[in-house]
Amino acid sequence: MAGIEKAFCLIRNLPRVTIGNLRPLPFTRHKPKIRLGRHGGRKCGRGNKGQGQRNTLPRIGFEGGNTPFHMLIPKEPYYEGHHLKRQYPPLTLLSLQRLVDLGRIDTSKPVDLTTLCNTKVVVVDPSMKHYGINLTDEGADIFKAKLNIEIQWASEITIAAIERAGGTIITRFFDLECVSAMVDPRRHFEKGLIIPRCKLPPQDAIEFYSDVKNRGYLADPRKIAAARFELAQKYGYALPDLTKDPAYEMLMRRKDPRQIWFGLEPGWAVNLRDKCILKPTDEQFKLYYKS
């Protein structure tokens, strides 16, 4: 009865239905067509003779018989395959330190592409061939945050600045499907899509991500300690001992090469409405998504 009384009370408070507050259904009213030549009807709105009246206008870009603009410009080999090149929007160490100081990034957890995009400061657009973030060395002399960061591209000075502060860094490749999911996970799961399996780097990037000097995720992990010591000797700073650090487990956390999020495996689906995770049961499906 309480619900019925509440409904009646709502109806009583609503305004009375009149012509003034009624609205037609969408797509039921059509705009009247504008007739040509309605002011006399001599030329039907097309004017006097010529291309306009006879509907013989040239195509867009026609230059009257002259050599077209796109044929006058010489072909530069520098721009060959430019539309296929991978783009990495820059993020400076200064901006990263500012995000940490403002509390936009939690240093007690690993930092990846999703963490950086959730700050709403870093913009990554997969439709513009953005394959991740390039962490630049601007502000390397003042960088003090201790992070376990996963980035897509980094220079030697950037790696040295992060390791000097007591953190760890790893360079990791993601294909465009994974980047699109990591940039906006909520939109990805609301579409009902499963977690994609990360592809291996293309042929021209395997060398970079397999090099221990670049801290590539495909490099031999047993050689990273020697590379850290060598870099510290090169730039002249004392290398912190990670084994004595209280956050050692967090600093050494790594993802599987096919994994894009911690705790979630490729092939799983996340139901945000029911707050549950759907896992595959088919053996062939599991074998395909298994690393």
Side-chain angles (χ1 to χ4, degrees):
M1 294 298 293
I4 297 176
E5 292 295 333
K6 187 176 181 180
F8 276 124
C9 182
L10 180 63
I11 293 175
R12 293 191 196 99
N13 294 329
L14 287 175
R16 187 180 294 274
V17 178
T18 61
I19 296 296
N21 56 23
L22 284 179
R23 177 181 304 179
L25 294 174
F27 309 109
T28 56
R29 297 187 64 182
H30 302 280
K31 293 183 179 180
K33 295 182 179 180
I34 300 177
R35 297 182 298 104
L36 297 177
R38 61 191 182 279
H39 302 296
R42 288 186 59 208
K43 305 294 182 180
C44 298
R46 286 186 170 269
N48 288 318
K49 302 167 186 160
Q51 294 176 333
Q53 188 182 64
R54 297 183 175 89
N55 197 19
T56 56
L57 290 171
R59 67 181 186 277
I60 296 177
F62 183 70
E63 300 183 22
N66 298 329
T67 305
F69 173 77
H70 67 275
M71 296 181 66
L72 288 174
I73 303 300
K75 292 183 178 180
E76 295 289 344
Y78 173 79
Y79 297 105
E80 185 177 358
H82 180 73
H83 63 290
L84 300 175
K85 292 182 179 179
R86 298 183 297 274
Q87 304 296 327
Y88 297 93
L91 174 66
T92 64
L93 288 172
L94 179 64
S95 301
L96 183 61
Q97 181 66 50
R98 185 181 293 114
L99 292 174
V100 173
D101 295 340
L102 293 176
R104 296 278 188 102
I105 293 179
D106 187 6
T107 59
S108 63
K109 299 178 182 179
V111 178
D112 57 0
L113 183 60
T114 302
T115 307
L116 295 174
C117 291
N118 284 341
T119 62
K120 305 304 180 183
V121 176
V122 181
V123 178
V124 177
D125 188 2
S127 64
M128 301 296 291
K129 300 292 182 181
H130 291 177
Y131 278 78
I133 296 174
N134 176 19
L135 193 60
T136 60
D137 56 2
E138 181 183 349
D141 53 340
I142 62 172
F143 188 76
K144 302 296 182 183
K146 183 171 63 176
L147 298 172
N148 175 13
I149 186 168
E150 179 187 76
I151 211 72
Q152 283 64 60
W153 204 270
S155 62
E156 187 180 61
I157 301 178
T158 302
I159 296 173
I162 290 181
E163 293 181 350
R164 182 187 61 183
T168 57
I169 181 173
I170 186 169
T171 54
R172 171 72 187 270
F173 172 81
F174 291 109
D175 57 278
L176 284 181
E177 184 182 6
C178 296
V179 172
S180 178
M182 297 185 72
V183 167
D184 194 349
R186 186 179 188 88
R187 183 183 63 181
H188 180 80
F189 292 134
E190 284 178 349
K191 290 181 178 180
L193 301 176
I194 61 176
I195 300 175
R197 183 185 67 165
C198 185
K199 299 178 181 178
L200 293 176
Q203 191 68 31
D204 58 344
I206 287 182
E207 183 178 357
F208 179 85
Y209 291 107
S210 301
D211 193 353
V212 69
K213 294 182 179 179
N214 301 323
R215 305 299 187 268
Y217 73 111
L218 298 178
D220 190 354
R222 295 171 294 182
K223 299 180 181 180
I224 291 183
R228 284 169 54 89
F229 180 76
E230 181 181 351
L231 191 62
Q233 293 292 317
K234 180 178 180 179
Y235 287 96
Y237 60 85
L239 187 64
D241 189 1
L242 296 180
T243 58
K244 299 180 181 179
D245 197 302
Y248 174 76
E249 293 185 2
M250 185 275 295
L251 292 174
M252 299 307 295
R253 286 191 68 184
R254 295 291 182 267
K255 298 177 184 176
D256 188 83
R258 298 289 188 179
Q259 192 179 12
I260 64 175
W261 286 304
F262 284 109
L264 295 175
E265 298 294 333
W268 293 3
V270 178
N271 190 333
L272 298 179
R273 178 178 294 180
D274 298 337
K275 297 181 180 180
C276 64
I277 298 177
L278 306 177
K279 301 180 181 180
T281 57
D282 187 79
E283 294 300 329
Q284 293 185 353
F285 198 84
K286 291 181 180 179
L287 185 63
Y288 173 78
Y289 281 97
K290 186 177 180 181
S291 178

